[in-house]
Amino acid sequence: MNATTSVTVRVPAKVNLQLAVGPARGDGYHGLVNVFHAVSLFDEVTVSARTDLPPGQAVLSADGERPDHLARVPLDEGNLAARAAALLARHTPRATGVHIHLRKAIPVAGGMAGGSADAAAALVACDALWDSGVPREQLLELAADLGSDVPFPLLGHTAVGTGRGELLTPLPTPGTFHWVFALAEGGLSTAAVFAEYDRLRPDAPEPRLDHDLAAALAAGDPRRLGTALTNDLQPAALSLRPGLASVLDAGRAAGALGAVVSGSGPTCAFLAGSAEHARGLAAALRGLDECADTVTAHGPVPGATVL
Ligand code: ATP
C-alpha cells in the first residue's frame, strides 16, 4: 500500500527572454515564439490526500509574504492548481480528493506565470501522491490542455515555445544569469494586454526566434543577452501602464545590461552582470513610485521538483 499522504513540489517563475507575437489565429490564440527562462523565485505547492472528498476535488489554502497578491488568488475550482488536480484525476483510477496549499512567492498577475507554475506543480504533486503512472509525455500534454504556459514549468531551465507557446524545445544555456524584478502595484490582465496588442499591431508578422538571442544564450554571454531581450507585448503593457516606462529607464540608467517587461507585465525584468550588481540595481529601483518591491533571482533553474 502507498503510505504517502502529502507531497510538496517547488516550482519556479519564468521570465520571457523573447516574446514574439504573431497575428491572432482562427482559434483565438496568437502564434508565439516564446523563450522561457526559469528563475529562482519559487512557489511551493503541497497536496494532501482528502479521502472524504470525491476523486480530483480540491479544497485550497494559500499563504505568502504579500497580502495584496494573495488577495487575488482564487481559492475555488477556478484556481489553476485545482483544475490540474481535477484533470489528472480523470486519468488515474487511484485519485483521491486533495487539500492543496499554495505558498506563493511568485507575483500574482505579474507576467511571471505564477498560476501556470502552480498548475504544473499540482500535476507533479498529484502524480506522486496518487502514483498515477501517467507517462511524462502525457503529463506535458495535460499541462498544455490547462494553458499555454503550463508545460514550461515542468521542464524549467531555458526553452523556446512555439505554436501558442506550448510546444517546447530546450535551449541549453551554460552559466548563470542574474536578474532583478521590479514588482508593480496591482496586476495586468493577460487578455487585456493581448487585446491592446491587437489594437496597436493589426499587421503583426509571423514570429521568429531571434538569432542574436539564441547565440547569446548558447555562449552564456550576459552582455549580449541584455541587448537581445525583446517583448512584443511591451508596447501594449506600457500603453495600459505608462508609468512602467520610467521603471525601465531607471534600471537602464543604473547600469542594467538589459531591461524588459516580463510577459504581459507589469513586472519589469533587469539583467545584471553579477549577484552583487543585481543587489545594487534593486536598491536603485526600490525608491521609485512605480516600483512596489524588488526581488533578485538567478536562472536558469530546474522545473517543478518534489521536495
Ligand atoms: P501569465 O504570465 O501566464 O499571463 P501572470 O503571471 O500574469 O500569468 P498569474 O499569477 O498566473 O498571472 O495570475 C493570473 C490570474 O490567474 C490571477 O489574477 C488569478 O485570478 C488567476 N489564478 C488562478 N490560479 C492561480 C494561482 N494558482 N496563482 C495565482 N493566480 C491564479
Side-chain angles (χ1 to χ4, degrees), residues 254-277:
L257 304 182
V260 74
V261 168
S262 179
S264 52
T267 304
C268 292
F270 301 90
L271 185 59
S274 66
E276 193 187 346
H277 184 205

Side-chain angles (χ1 to χ4, degrees), residues 14 72 74 79-80 104 107-115 118 149 190 264:
K14 61 84 182 161
R72 298 199 295 269
N79 195 294
L80 271 172
K104 296 284 306 173
V108 175
M112 299 191 78
D118 295 349
D149 283 357
T190 304
S264 52

Side-chain angles (χ1 to χ4, degrees), residues 292-307:
D293 201 359
T294 57
V295 283
T296 55
H298 62 268
V301 296
T305 305
V306 176
L307 296 182

